């Protein structure tokens, strides 16, 4: 998967590209721990709507976030073929529920453009940059923003 | 092992020694008359000195030496004991702990503090400021034949037992840096020692190999110490030498001169009378005796990096889950199960449960070390606040997970400082209100309904509610018109930015308020509650989960979700008649349980899984006990199973959820949440971010 020529250039980023709610997104591969199939999560009381619940990841209890719903898009349709991308956010582990992983790309940092100045708050908060690739627009997710702040911090 | 590693080991040992020393000192202060207590303290200080010498920690060695000298005088009854002396001992002990900490962190210490502590020791011991005799800390030369055994010999007369000790260091002893001279010197300090050397194995100079050990010693020791104490001398070296200690039926010329022993007892009894009328002396003496009895057979322990244990705990948790999954899968596969398979599965289940229990017990530790540390806090806090206070600890052997013990230290320290500083009244005021001059702070631990309760109470003046309310109003924490119940006022103390001390004292008021205490406890999945009676004192109760421990849980179903209730909190389950449910107020329901009305909570609606209570979904009610002894009836849809579950924290990856204690993984690999019945009863658990109902106006 990893081509030695790519890593030689320190400015090259490897990105996991995936699809949800008919849009393309990507994440730095270094923040992805694993990609796994869908399992039914246990609901959490009083959780925001985009937190689907928690699953058991080899003994750790990991919250599952519906990425589409987190970004203000229509929530993902229940489907056994949905995929969970397990990511590390700081010291926390969270699973992002998405439709499908499509690609793994090596992109020079220079090809990542800043997020266009759009009005939508959610876009500005969660999208770190965009990449144009074969007429597709790939949005780079800022995962540090994804976990619910209030739910996580309120003790 | 590099010297850095050795140094780490030394400091870890120091901690144990300091604990032992502190314990002994407190026993002395409380009036222990057992000579073994002084010995124990002496040994601890001596071992610290010895170790410090090896690492050339001059400050530590010097101070420990002087401390030890005074202790030795007490041991040999050369100086009279008195309460002032014990006080000075405690101060010296604290200072020794500081020096050890400073040496560990590589920090310089203020030499005047050492001098002060020594001066206090000498004063109390009735001695002049002895000229500071410096201590030899250079590494001793390997010169066994020039052994000077007339060092500080605390010989207390020709009494005790005769031991013959045959010591033959192995070659490995030289590599490990053991020195027979030091060992013999330590033996000499235990009694009267006469040694003979066996140099027969010594080759001539040409064949001499400096890495080989050729010498052996036979030592006759006349001592009043026990065999175990002699063996203790060789604790570190015993693997590297051939050691044979035997008691010889040696002529014991006279019976021990009893008067010598009785005298210090007398004075110590006086101390008891002075220090505490409360402590019955025989009990103390017995406790001390049983303690010295247990030292006779030292338990073997090993030190393990906590991370290794944690990894083991995780893996064993997985093992238990997978074992359950395996059994379930075989059951559901519809295969004809051979008797052998069944037996195997059964064995596996038992074994994994055993492994799990043993692993969990590694992490569980008694709260004693934590509580012991608090004695010093009370001592320092009362000295700084110019009050006299005593700490009483109860339930010290209550076992709690190690992580909790560690993270409890800071909040507990702060709470104790608060109790002494704000809780106890000034001395004059105490006398006025007919209390004894000495304030009493009680710290206790106990297991209660699957949680650990730690209670801190003082016999001070209680909370001045008018003043608390005034301060809260003046700080803008509550509106002036707020009408608060007494318990609501008490809880104002936990609001951020609240501090009643009008003058910021040296102790509390360091910008860390009770709100920090509360959030730290909450971070552990615990709760703090406060109760106070004006004029009689204040009680703070910390309720903590036994995290990482396994939990016997009842698996219940609510709105299609599986939830776990801790069995320990369940009193009974019942299927009530519809008439037993009564509405009260708006939306609240109580249940008539044989004439007692208990608040009834529908778990499904409380957790937001469903909007309205389904009219009568054949619901089952589980009666649970809360921390405060009250009952609570929880409505669930069904009971599925009763099983042991592994607790998995939610805080790490998500955060605290009101009403939920933790999560667990069930046999099929799915996650189930563990309910926290006490928190569930809190009105705030029905809506998020309502933690400060008072301030939110």
């Amino acid at each position: 998967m990893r081509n030695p020529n790519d890593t030689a250039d320190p400015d090259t980023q490897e990105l996991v590209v995936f699809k949800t709610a008919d849009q393309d997104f990507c994440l730095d591969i270094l923040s992805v721990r694993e990609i796994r199939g869908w399992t039914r999560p246990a609901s959490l009381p009083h959780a925001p709507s985009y937190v689907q619940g928690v699953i058991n990841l080899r003994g750790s209890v990991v919250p599952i976030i519906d990425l589409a719903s987190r970004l203000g898009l229509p929530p993902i349709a229940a489907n056994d073929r949905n995929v969970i991308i397990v990511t590390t956010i700081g010291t926390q582990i969270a699973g992002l529920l998405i439709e499908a992983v499509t690609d793994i790309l090596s992109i020079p940092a220079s090809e990542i453009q800043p997020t266009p100045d759009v009005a939508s708050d959610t876009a500005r908060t969660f999208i770190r940059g965009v990449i144009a690739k074969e007429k597709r627009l790939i949005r780079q997710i800022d995962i540090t923003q994804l976990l619910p702040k209030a739910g996580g911090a309120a003790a | 092992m590099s010297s850095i590693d050795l140094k780490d080991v030394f400091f870890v040992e120091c901690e144990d020694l300091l604990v032992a020393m502190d314990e002994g000192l407190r026993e002395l202060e409380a009036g222990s008359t057992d000579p073994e207590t002084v010995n124990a303290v002496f040994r601890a200080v001596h071992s610290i000195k010895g170790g410090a010498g090896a690492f050339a920690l001059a400050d530590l060695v010097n101070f420990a030496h002087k401390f030890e000298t005074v202790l030795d005088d007490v041991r040999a009854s050369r100086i009279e004991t008195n309460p002032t002396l014990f006080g000075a001992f405690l101060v010296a002990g604290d200072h020794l702990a500081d020096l050890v900490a400073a040496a560990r962190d590589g920090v310089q210490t203020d030499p005047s503090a050492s001098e002060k502590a020594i001066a206090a020791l000498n004063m109390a011991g009735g001695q002049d400021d002895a000229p500071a005799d410096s201590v030899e800390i250079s590494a001793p030369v390997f010169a066994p034949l020039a052994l000077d055994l007339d060092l500080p010999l605390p010989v207390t007369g020709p009494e005790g037992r005769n031991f013959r000790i045959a010591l033959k260091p192995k070659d490995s002893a030289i590599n490990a840096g053991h020195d027979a001279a030091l060992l013999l010197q330590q033996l000499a300090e235990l009694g009267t020692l006469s040694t003979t050397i066996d140099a027969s194995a010594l080759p001539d100079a040409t064949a001499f190999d400096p890495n080989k050990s050729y010498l052996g010693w036979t030592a006759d020791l006349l001592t009043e110490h026990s065999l175990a104490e002699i063996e203790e001398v060789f604790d570190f070296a015993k693997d590297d030498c051939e050691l044979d200690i035997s008691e010889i039926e040696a002529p014991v010329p006279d019976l021990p001169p009893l008067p010598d022993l009785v005298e210090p007892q007398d004075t110590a009894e006086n101390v008891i009378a002075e220090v505490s009328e409360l402590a019955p002396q025989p009990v103390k003496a017995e406790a001390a005796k049983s303690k010295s009895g247990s030292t006779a057979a030292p338990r073997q322990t090993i030190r393990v990096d906590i991370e290794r244990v944690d990894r083991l705990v995780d893996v064993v948790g997985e093992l238990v889950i997978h074992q359950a999954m395996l059994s379930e899968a075989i059951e559901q596969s519809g295969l004809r199960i051979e008797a052998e398979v069944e037996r195997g599965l059964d064995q596996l289940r038992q074994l994994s449960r055993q492994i799990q229990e043993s692993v969990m017990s590694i992490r569980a530790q008694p709260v004693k070390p934590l509580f012991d540390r608090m004695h010093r806090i009370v001592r320092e806090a009362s000295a700084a606040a110019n009050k006299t206070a005593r700490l009483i600890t109860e339930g010290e052997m209550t076992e709690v997970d190690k992580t909790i013990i560690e993270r409890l230290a800071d909040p507990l320290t702060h709470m104790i400082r608060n109790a002494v500083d704000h809780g106890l009244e000034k001395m004059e005021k105490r006398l006025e209100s007919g209390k004894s001059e000495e304030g009493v702070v009680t710290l206790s631990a106990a297991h209660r309904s699957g949680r650990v309760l730690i209670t801190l109470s003082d016999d001070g003046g209680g909370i001045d509610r008018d003043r608390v309310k005034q301060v809260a109003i003046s700080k803008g924490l509550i509106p002036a018109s707020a009408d608060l119940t007494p318990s609501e006022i008490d809880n104002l103390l936990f609001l951020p930015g609240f501090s009643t001390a009008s003058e910021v004292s040296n102790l509390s008021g360091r910008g860390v308020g009770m709100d920090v205490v509360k959030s730290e406890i909450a971070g552990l999945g615990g709760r703090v509650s406060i109760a106070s009676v004006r004029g009689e004192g204040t009680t703070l109760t910390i309720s903590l989960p036994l995290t990482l421990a396994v939990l016997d849980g009842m698996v219940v179903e609510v709105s299609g979700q599986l939830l776990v209730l801790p069995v320990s909190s369940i009193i009974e389950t019942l299927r009530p008649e519809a008439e037993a449910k009564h509405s009260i107020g708006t939306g609240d329901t109580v249940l008539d349980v044989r004439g007692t009305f208990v608040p009834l909570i529908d778990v499904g609606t409380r957790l937001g899984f469903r909007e309205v209570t389904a009219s009568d979904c054949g619901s089952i009610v589980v009666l649970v006990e809360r921390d405060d002894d009250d009952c609570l009836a929880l409505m669930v849809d069904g009971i599925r199973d009763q099983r042991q579950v592994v607790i998995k924290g939610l805080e790490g990856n998500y955060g605290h959820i009101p009403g939920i204690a933790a999560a667990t993984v069930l046999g099929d690999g799915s996650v189930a949440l563990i309910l926290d019945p006490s928190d569930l009863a809190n009105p705030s658990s029905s809506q998020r971010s309502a933690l400060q109902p008072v301030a939110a106006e």
Side-chain angles (χ1 to χ4, degrees):
Chain A
M1 191 158 66
R2 193 172 260 261
N3 185 334
N5 293 335
D6 295 337
T7 48
D9 181 359
D11 286 338
T12 303
Q13 278 194 10
E14 280 199 88
L15 302 168
V16 177
V17 186
F18 52 90
K19 210 175 186 54
T20 195
D22 279 332
Q23 298 189 2
D24 291 301
F25 297 93
C26 67
L27 271 177
D28 188 340
I29 202 165
L30 294 177
S31 60
V32 176
R33 273 174 65 112
E34 66 180 85
I35 296 166
R36 53 172 291 151
W38 184 80
T39 22
R40 202 174 76 89
S43 312
L44 288 178
H46 313 302
S49 59
Y50 53 82
V51 177
Q52 285 224 331
V54 284
I55 61 158
N56 163 34
L57 181 74
R58 285 186 303 281
S60 302
V61 176
V62 173
I64 299 300
I65 294 166
D66 175 2
L67 184 66
S69 162
R70 179 62 173 145
L71 299 178
L73 305 167
I76 197 164
N79 186 333
D80 282 354
R81 282 189 308 235
N82 287 345
V83 179
I84 292 170
I85 300 185
V86 181
T87 59
T88 316
I89 305 176
T91 56
Q92 294 179 307
I93 299 174
L96 301 181
L97 183 61
I98 50 123
E99 270 165 31
V101 173
T102 51
D103 218 346
I104 290 176
L105 291 179
S106 292
I107 299 266
S110 56
E111 277 187 34
I112 303 177
Q113 305 169 21
T115 313
D117 198 6
V118 288
S120 151
D121 267 343
T122 42
R124 276 203 306 258
T125 314
F126 298 115
I127 314 269
R128 245 167 57 183
V130 294
I131 300 154
K133 185 89 181 171
E134 297 156 10
K135 292 191 183 164
R136 286 189 298 163
L137 180 75
I138 303 172
R139 302 148 190 86
Q140 195 185 15
I141 300 284
D142 184 358
I143 52 168
T144 56
Q145 303 290 332
L146 287 180
L147 277 182
K149 285 274 160 5
Chain B
M1 208 189 254
S2 73
S3 73
I4 307 252
D5 288 339
L6 281 174
K7 213 167 173 173
D8 286 344
V9 171
F10 164 64
F11 285 121
V12 171
E13 266 158 16
C14 266
E15 248 156 59
D16 289 351
L17 292 167
L18 287 170
V19 167
M21 176 195 74
D22 214 38
E23 212 167 273
L25 287 176
R26 276 202 318 278
E27 265 172 39
L28 286 177
E29 197 198 18
S32 164
T33 55
D34 190 346
E36 180 50 33
T37 315
V38 188
N39 285 336
V41 175
F42 178 83
R43 271 201 307 277
V45 176
H46 182 75
S47 306
I48 292 175
K49 183 183 95 170
F55 297 106
L57 302 166
D59 286 353
L60 191 52
V61 175
N62 274 319
F63 182 74
H65 177 71
K66 281 165 195 150
F67 190 11
E68 180 191 74
T69 314
V70 182
L71 282 168
D72 192 30
D73 287 346
V74 173
R75 195 161 77 147
S77 311
R78 276 198 289 273
I79 51 175
E80 289 275 309
T81 53
N82 58 55
T84 338
L85 182 64
F86 292 136
F89 276 171
L90 287 170
V91 173
D94 290 349
H95 184 62
L96 190 65
D98 287 344
L99 284 175
V100 169
R104 182 184 48 216
D105 305 338
V107 192
Q108 278 294 323
T109 44
D110 180 11
S112 68
S114 287
E115 278 160 28
K116 238 191 282 175
I118 292 164
L121 273 178
N122 289 335
M123 280 268 285
Q127 289 187 343
D128 302 329
D129 260 359
D133 47 339
S134 75
V135 188
E136 183 75 32
I137 59 162
S138 62
V141 190
F142 185 60
L145 294 170
L147 197 59
D148 177 11
L149 295 178
D150 294 322
L151 281 168
L153 279 191
V155 188
T156 40
E159 58 190 88
R161 304 194 283 172
N162 250 316
F163 291 96
R164 171 153 295 164
I165 299 138
L167 175 68
K168 169 92 177 69
K170 295 182 200 161
D171 295 347
S172 61
I174 291 170
N175 282 328
H178 293 302
D179 188 335
L182 278 183
L183 294 172
L184 293 172
Q185 203 166 318
Q186 275 181 42
L187 276 184
E189 286 172 25
L190 294 178
T192 323
L193 185 76
S194 56
T195 40
T196 48
I197 186 161
D198 170 23
S200 55
L202 201 64
D204 62 14
T206 49
F208 185 83
D209 179 350
N211 289 321
K212 283 207 154 61
S213 167
Y214 298 105
L215 299 172
W217 288 267
T218 312
D220 285 336
L221 178 67
L222 179 62
T223 178
E224 48 187 302
H225 292 270
S226 66
L227 180 62
E229 287 168 62
I230 296 172
E231 278 171 348
E232 204 171 284
V233 170
F234 298 98
D235 248 2
F236 300 110
K238 62 178 169 235
D239 292 338
D240 295 314
C241 55
E242 289 162 29
L243 181 65
D244 179 43
I245 304 176
S246 53
E247 187 165 0
I248 25 179
E249 313 270 321
V252 178
D254 308 292
L255 281 173
L258 277 171
D260 266 5
L261 272 176
V262 171
E263 216 172 305
Q265 255 170 4
D266 273 350
T267 53
E269 261 159 29
N270 292 341
V271 176
I272 294 176
E274 270 181 60
V275 171
S276 77
E277 303 88 349
L278 287 174
Q281 188 242 349
V283 178
K284 285 267 173 197
E286 236 173 64
K289 223 170 267 163
S290 70
K291 197 161 281 168
S292 64
S294 66
T295 53
R299 279 216 243 157
Q300 296 257 319
T301 54
I302 52 162
R303 290 182 186 282
V304 181
D305 191 340
I306 189 78
E307 268 177 32
R308 291 194 195 180
V309 177
D310 283 352
R311 214 155 48 222
L312 194 60
V313 169
D314 279 350
V315 174
V316 170
E318 285 301 283
L319 175 73
V320 170
I321 290 162
H322 282 273
Q323 174 265 319
M325 284 164 79
L326 181 65
S327 312
E328 234 161 83
I330 290 178
E331 225 166 80
Q332 282 170 8
S333 65
L335 290 175
R336 199 170 57 86
I337 298 174
E338 304 277 334
E340 224 159 278
V341 174
E342 184 139 2
R343 251 204 317 279
L345 276 178
D346 235 30
Q347 290 256 332
L348 182 64
R349 197 184 60 239
Q350 278 182 17
L351 284 174
S352 49
R353 190 163 177 137
Q354 270 177 26
I355 296 177
Q356 188 175 37
E357 276 167 9
S358 340
V359 168
M360 292 305 169
S361 70
I362 296 177
R363 279 199 61 99
Q365 299 206 320
V367 292
K368 192 168 187 302
L370 175 69
F371 278 18
D372 283 352
R373 264 150 78 189
M374 296 303 144
H375 284 279
R376 176 175 184 183
I377 308 295
V378 169
R379 221 146 54 217
E380 288 178 347
S382 53
N386 213 1
K387 296 171 182 173
T388 52
R390 183 158 50 100
L391 180 69
I392 298 177
T393 52
E394 287 162 6
E396 297 165 316
M397 296 322 279
T398 310
E399 288 198 340
V400 188
D401 187 83
K402 187 171 163 57
T403 319
I404 292 193
I405 293 186
E406 276 162 8
R407 289 178 54 192
L408 206 53
D410 281 350
L412 206 55
T413 304
H414 189 76
M415 283 164 64
I416 288 199
R417 284 203 181 118
N418 254 330
V420 174
D421 204 23
H422 305 310
L424 299 175
E425 316 93 319
K426 291 242 156 37
M427 248 183 257
E428 310 84 58
K429 209 169 158 202
R430 286 187 68 88
L431 292 173
E432 252 171 55
S433 45
K435 294 178 187 174
S436 82
E437 195 178 274
E438 186 181 48
V440 178
V441 178
T442 313
L443 185 60
S444 71
H447 284 286
R448 167 68 58 87
S449 71
R451 295 175 76 88
V452 182
L453 283 196
I454 294 184
T455 325
L456 175 73
S457 49
D458 62 61
D459 65 344
I463 295 172
D464 186 344
R465 299 210 169 94
D466 294 337
R467 193 149 147 259
V468 167
K469 197 172 164 188
Q470 237 172 29
V471 171
I473 292 171
S474 73
K475 296 206 171 177
L477 297 170
I478 52 166
S481 58
D483 186 18
L484 302 177
T485 64
S487 86
E488 277 174 326
I489 296 178
D490 293 349
N491 278 304
L492 289 177
L493 296 179
F494 292 117
L495 285 186
F498 186 94
S499 173
T500 42
S502 23
E503 77 249 54
V504 174
S505 74
N506 205 7
L507 291 171
S508 342
R510 285 183 191 173
V512 196
M514 289 299 281
D515 58 315
V516 177
V517 170
K518 186 171 183 169
S519 65
E520 275 179 50
I521 303 282
L524 289 170
R527 284 184 294 276
V528 201
S529 60
I530 190 166
S532 169
V533 179
R534 195 88 183 95
E536 286 176 28
T538 311
T539 303
L540 282 156
T541 309
I542 304 176
S543 151
L544 291 164
L546 298 159
T547 42
L548 279 169
V550 258
L551 181 118
D552 273 309
M554 183 183 271
V555 183
V556 297
E557 192 182 336
V558 174
S559 312
Q561 296 278 336
L562 291 182
L563 298 168
V564 178
L565 267 168
V567 167
S568 53
S569 67
I570 296 176
I571 302 169
E572 62 175 304
T573 56
L574 34 108
R575 195 186 281 273
E577 312 270 313
E579 302 92 72
K581 297 174 189 162
H582 302 279
S583 291
I584 189 163
T586 50
D588 284 326
T589 318
V590 291
L591 184 72
D592 182 356
V593 183
R594 292 182 289 275
T596 319
F597 290 100
V598 177
L600 179 67
I601 290 172
D602 175 28
V603 178
T605 40
R606 180 52 64 95
L607 294 181
F609 288 158
R610 58 180 167 218
E611 288 301 307
V612 215
T613 314
S615 58
D616 194 14
C617 37
S619 55
I620 292 173
V621 164
V622 184
L623 211 57
V624 296
E625 186 187 24
R626 290 160 56 182
D627 293 343
D628 43 12
D629 283 338
D630 283 345
C631 282
L632 188 68
L634 299 177
M635 213 188 329
V636 298
D637 297 351
I639 295 173
R640 284 294 200 79
D641 193 8
Q642 189 164 323
R643 59 155 67 226
Q644 211 180 28
V645 297
V646 183
I647 299 177
K648 302 278 179 187
L650 275 171
E651 269 83 4
N653 286 331
Y654 186 70
H656 179 72
I657 305 170
I660 303 295
T664 188
V665 179
L666 296 178
D668 61 356
S670 67
V671 176
L673 300 178
I674 302 172
L675 293 170
D676 179 347
S678 302
D679 199 26
L680 208 56
N682 257 328
S684 63
S685 67
S686 63
Q687 74 235 67
R688 50 193 12 258
S689 81
L691 292 168
Q692 296 154 15
V694 187
E697 283 199 31

